[in-house]
Amino acid sequence: MARVPFIGRLFWREYLALFGSLVLIFLEAFVRIITLGLPQPIIRFCYNRSKNAFNFLSSSRGRQSRARKRSISASIANAADFVDLCTLFGYYAEEHVVQTGDGYLLGLHRLGWRKGEEGTRVNAGQESVGKKVVYLHHGLMMNSEVWVCLTEKERCLPFMLVDQGYDVWLGNNRGNKYSKKSTRFSPASNDFWNFSMDQFAFHDIPDSIDYILATTYQTSLSYIGFSQGTAQAFATLSIHPTLNDKVDLFIALAPAMSPAGLRNNVVDSLVKASPQLLFLAFGRRSMLGSTTMWQSILYPPIFVQVIDRSLKFLFNWSSKNISAHQKLAAYPHLFSFTSTKSVVHWFQIIRNKSFQMYDDDVQAPLGIGATDRYYKVAKFPTRNIKTPILLVYGGSDSLVDINVMLKELPRHTIAKEVPHFEHLDFLWGQDVEKLVFPYVSEALEIYAGRDHLRSFPRDVRRAMMSHGESSSEDLSSSITAGETSDVTLGTKRNTLLDGKAISSETSPESTKMVSPTAPSFVSAPISYDSHEGNSTPVKPSPLRLDPSSIGDNIKRRRRGSGSSHRSGENVKVFSHSGISLGAGKATVGGVSSPESARSPSSSGAGSNS
């Protein structure tokens, strides 16, 4: 494709910034080549010298504080893998391997047992305990360890979900620590690393979900993603319509879809550069592979300072919401391998301000033919997603532009803001169990295990459309009674599009950890539902459900689509005492049981169809 000479290039200031960044990259590569040949005694010598220098420059009070908290932080930091991290807190973890359609072998981890349940058969068909399934997926250049490397069990989302009775699975992207194998290519070849987010969306996520559902004998699961893990869900749900049947809820923590850009001008120039230049700088295999080398040489507090300063340099994050001993425990587990191409894919998204597929024919900014009239990269059709979506984002997260994101998502999307949170705070921040977990638990109570694509019963639909100003208690009653499953979780559409999403409440009802068996709203006023002649006590939700946002959803129901509707005979999951949840209702011996629909686990046996 012809390009205008010189004019189609970067500005001269960007060339200077780009040149400076490349000098730093080549310097880092040179140091790495040298250190690869260093014997272990020299590496240990460098580690001890950096340790002594840090202790000499730090205060005595700081040394005493670190000594008190060093034990648990060191144990977590030195844990070899996911299983060891879970063992530290007394949880039993399973390891699984799933093969994707294009031959990559992905590692999956499972936490399906509370403490003391290790010998129980969970989601294993007949004669087993049935539990609702929750799937968690990590962010860019991470692996599943980031979810469990916390210093307190109460702040660990997977452990909280396990204790509440869920069957928790954690996925890994191809190329990272647990998925560095393929039946077709060697990790030493360029072909192995020739993948971007397209492959995550077309293969990794759907194949992992299919494996989990087949293993657990369940028909659907709830998806919780962090950062790029949310982008992968946005992408895969948009291009796989039938996958929306299998994901009953999508919770996006620190969602990423079309970041505004990076705060540093030098790095921002790299973002605007062509992929050829980026591949020249970083290679065509794994990205920043020398990070593990620096981690082994530097004393941990110094390594923490390097990470903190890098995050400040790139994203302007202060990292003040993460305690010092939490950083010492978690930062050693922060990095994992991914392809340079997957990072270049993000650079293309930022550059074009579009959540698009990977562009194999990149045009210069002012090149001839570099217009939508002649060439347009396929976008992920995210407005086609039917699964209920809950966004929980940080008010101080520079990677989230909530207004832009909501315009590209379906109308039933709900956004909640945690005002002072930054990106990594959703993993390791202080008070995350009070500010974030209640949203997660409440959404799971409402949607997990439900056939969210079923149409509303005619009488409920008529009542909602004729009483647009009905209270949240009325809507909560219909949810609790199991009469509807495609209910919007929160605010009106016009509120969302204006970017005025409701932030986390400070009341005890909204900050207390929520449990399916002991909801956080137990002390809230109780209303009664008289639907179908029943007088069922209903407790309003702390998420403040707003039924006025449902009218549009009802009108936009898919009609005549066989792939989007599941019959009651095909929708069965387990609940308390062998309760079978089918077609949006829970029944025990033929008697409707609204409260049982809220439980994620069961102690009885059953079968799945």
Side-chain angles (χ1 to χ4, degrees):
M1 182 73 67
R3 293 182 174 87
V4 179
F6 186 75
I7 300 179
R9 306 290 181 174
L10 302 176
F11 294 108
W12 67 270
R13 294 187 302 274
E14 295 172 333
Y15 273 112
L16 291 178
L18 188 59
F19 176 77
S21 63
L22 290 177
V23 169
L24 295 176
I25 292 172
F26 287 125
L27 178 62
E28 192 265 351
F30 175 74
V31 174
R32 182 191 180 194
I33 293 174
I34 295 177
T35 53
L36 286 176
L38 293 179
Q40 190 63 32
I42 296 180
I43 294 177
R44 178 57 56 183
F45 174 82
C46 295
Y47 176 88
N48 291 332
R49 296 288 76 76
S50 63
K51 173 182 177 180
N52 294 338
F54 181 84
N55 288 332
F56 176 78
L57 296 175
S58 62
S59 65
S60 58
R61 176 179 296 181
R63 289 193 296 269
Q64 294 172 0
S65 176
R66 289 193 302 274
R68 288 193 299 268
K69 300 177 179 178
R70 185 177 302 163
S71 178
I72 182 63
S73 297
S75 299
I76 296 172
N78 296 328
D81 54 24
F82 182 91
V83 174
D84 283 354
L85 286 167
C86 295
T87 303
L88 290 174
F89 292 94
Y91 290 90
Y92 172 74
E94 280 186 351
E95 296 182 286
H96 293 252
V97 177
V98 56
Q99 180 174 339
T100 65
D102 56 348
Y104 283 81
L105 303 181
L106 311 180
L108 292 175
H109 294 109
R110 183 186 190 185
L111 290 167
W113 300 265
R114 299 185 182 99
K115 296 179 181 179
E117 288 184 344
E118 290 79 6
T120 306
R121 296 178 69 242
V122 174
N123 285 342
Q126 297 286 348
E127 305 297 330
S128 68
V129 175
K131 297 185 177 182
K132 296 179 182 179
V133 180
V134 178
Y135 176 75
L136 285 76
H137 205 88
H138 60 78
L140 176 66
M141 302 176 72
M142 296 180 178
N143 61 55
S144 55
E145 294 175 11
V146 298
W147 294 102
V148 294
C149 57
L150 288 99
T151 54
E152 291 90 22
K153 179 177 74 71
E154 294 74 18
R155 293 188 298 112
C156 179
L157 180 58
F159 295 159
M160 183 203 76
L161 294 174
V162 170
D163 289 339
Q164 290 185 358
Y166 293 97
D167 187 359
V168 181
W169 292 71
L170 302 96
N172 287 282
N173 285 338
R174 62 182 64 194
N176 78 3
K177 176 179 178 179
Y178 297 101
S179 307
K180 204 172 182 180
K181 189 172 180 61
S182 170
T183 59
R184 301 171 57 196
F185 309 114
S186 166
S189 67
N190 289 346
D191 290 332
F192 178 90
W193 300 99
N194 186 27
F195 59 82
S196 65
M197 193 156 38
D198 293 358
Q199 283 67 44
F200 299 154
F202 280 100
H203 298 288
D204 291 12
I205 298 299
D207 291 346
S208 296
I209 290 176
D210 286 342
Y211 175 88
I212 293 170
L213 294 180
T215 303
T216 59
Y217 296 89
Q218 299 296 310
T219 57
S220 68
L221 55 76
S222 302
Y223 185 106
I224 302 176
F226 167 77
S227 190
Q228 181 180 279
T230 69
Q232 293 174 212
F234 287 132
T236 195
L237 289 172
S238 69
I239 60 179
H240 295 289
T242 57
L243 193 64
N244 288 260
D245 294 330
K246 303 175 184 179
V247 180
D248 49 49
L249 172 66
F250 170 30
I251 301 176
L253 304 179
M257 193 166 71
S258 54
L262 304 180
R263 294 300 179 92
N264 185 270
N265 292 332
V266 174
V267 183
D268 203 49
S269 297
L270 275 177
V271 173
K272 298 176 182 178
S274 67
Q276 288 74 19
L277 184 58
L278 295 172
F279 284 127
L280 179 63
F282 295 103
R284 289 188 174 271
R285 298 182 185 177
S286 63
M287 184 79 174
L288 298 178
S290 63
T291 302
T292 54
M293 178 270 298
W294 290 110
Q295 182 177 331
S296 64
I297 289 180
L298 296 177
Y299 184 50
I302 296 180
F303 181 73
V304 167
Q305 289 294 322
V306 171
I307 297 297
D308 279 345
R309 293 181 183 276
S310 299
L311 296 176
K312 181 71 174 180
F313 176 78
L314 293 173
F315 310 110
N316 198 32
W317 297 339
S318 64
S319 303
K320 293 180 179 179
N321 295 323
I322 305 176
S323 64
H325 65 284
Q326 177 61 70
K327 294 176 182 178
L328 289 171
Y331 280 6
H333 301 279
L334 174 61
F335 173 80
S336 196
F337 299 103
T338 192
S339 67
T340 301
K341 185 176 181 179
S342 65
V343 179
V344 170
H345 191 172
W346 274 113
F347 286 2
Q348 292 180 356
I349 292 173
I350 295 174
R351 175 184 178 181
N352 298 324
K353 299 179 180 180
S354 172
F355 189 53
Q356 63 182 40
M357 299 181 186
Y358 185 82
D359 186 1
D360 294 289
D361 186 19
V362 179
Q363 306 294 321
L366 296 179
I368 297 176
T371 65
D372 290 344
R373 181 177 180 181
Y374 303 104
Y375 179 73
K376 186 175 180 63
V377 183
K379 294 178 60 177
F380 290 108
T382 49
R383 293 178 182 173
N384 296 344
I385 299 175
K386 307 303 179 184
T387 296
I389 302 174
L390 173 63
L391 311 178
V392 187
Y393 66 99
S396 300
D397 189 351
S398 60
L399 293 182
V400 176
D401 190 333
I402 195 64
N403 296 323
V404 173
M405 189 176 299
L406 288 171
K407 292 178 181 178
E408 298 299 324
L409 292 175
R411 301 180 66 175
H412 60 258
T413 302
I414 300 304
K416 296 290 181 180
E417 178 185 358
V418 182
H420 63 284
F421 260 37
E422 297 175 339
H423 205 67
L424 293 176
D425 296 344
F426 286 89
L427 289 176
W428 308 317
Q430 301 180 70
D431 295 328
V432 67
E433 76 279 11
K434 299 177 181 178
L435 301 176
V436 177
F437 289 3
Y439 290 138
V440 175
S441 296
E442 191 72 18
L444 287 171
E445 286 184 45
I446 296 172
Y447 283 110
R450 290 185 178 272
D451 184 5
H452 58 282
L453 298 181
R454 258 180 82 243
S455 297
F456 286 95
R458 182 178 302 175
D459 48 357
V460 176
R461 186 165 62 243
R462 186 186 304 115
M464 286 181 177
M465 298 183 69
S466 61
H467 300 286
E469 298 299 323
S470 57
S471 64
S472 60
E473 287 82 2
D474 297 330
L475 180 58
S476 182
S477 64
S478 63
I479 294 171
T480 308
E483 299 300 331
T484 179
S485 57
D486 193 7
V487 179
T488 305
L489 274 179
T491 58
K492 300 179 181 179
R493 171 169 170 75
N494 56 354
T495 302
L496 292 178
L497 293 183
D498 290 337
K500 299 176 181 178
I502 300 175
S503 62
S504 59
E505 301 291 341
T506 58
S507 63
E509 289 81 1
S510 62
T511 57
K512 185 164 54 177
M513 189 177 298
V514 184
S515 167
T517 57
S520 66
F521 46 79
V522 291
S523 60
I526 297 178
S527 63
Y528 288 85
D529 177 29
S530 59
H531 183 61
E532 292 185 352
N534 297 327
S535 292
T536 306
V538 178
K539 307 176 184 72
S541 163
L543 280 179
R544 309 280 174 97
L545 304 184
D546 184 359
S548 59
S549 59
I550 298 176
D552 292 330
N553 290 336
I554 298 172
K555 298 175 183 178
R556 297 172 66 246
R557 277 292 162 243
R558 290 190 292 176
R559 299 171 181 173
S561 174
S563 63
S564 63
H565 296 277
R566 294 176 292 181
S567 65
E569 290 78 7
N570 293 328
V571 184
K572 293 183 180 179
V573 295
F574 300 114
S575 186
H576 277 306
S577 305
I579 299 172
S580 175
L581 302 180
K585 273 193 175 183
T587 60
V588 186
V591 179
S592 178
S593 176
E595 290 298 328
S596 63
R598 308 169 73 77
S599 172
S601 63
S602 71
S603 57
S607 63
N608 297 76
S609 57

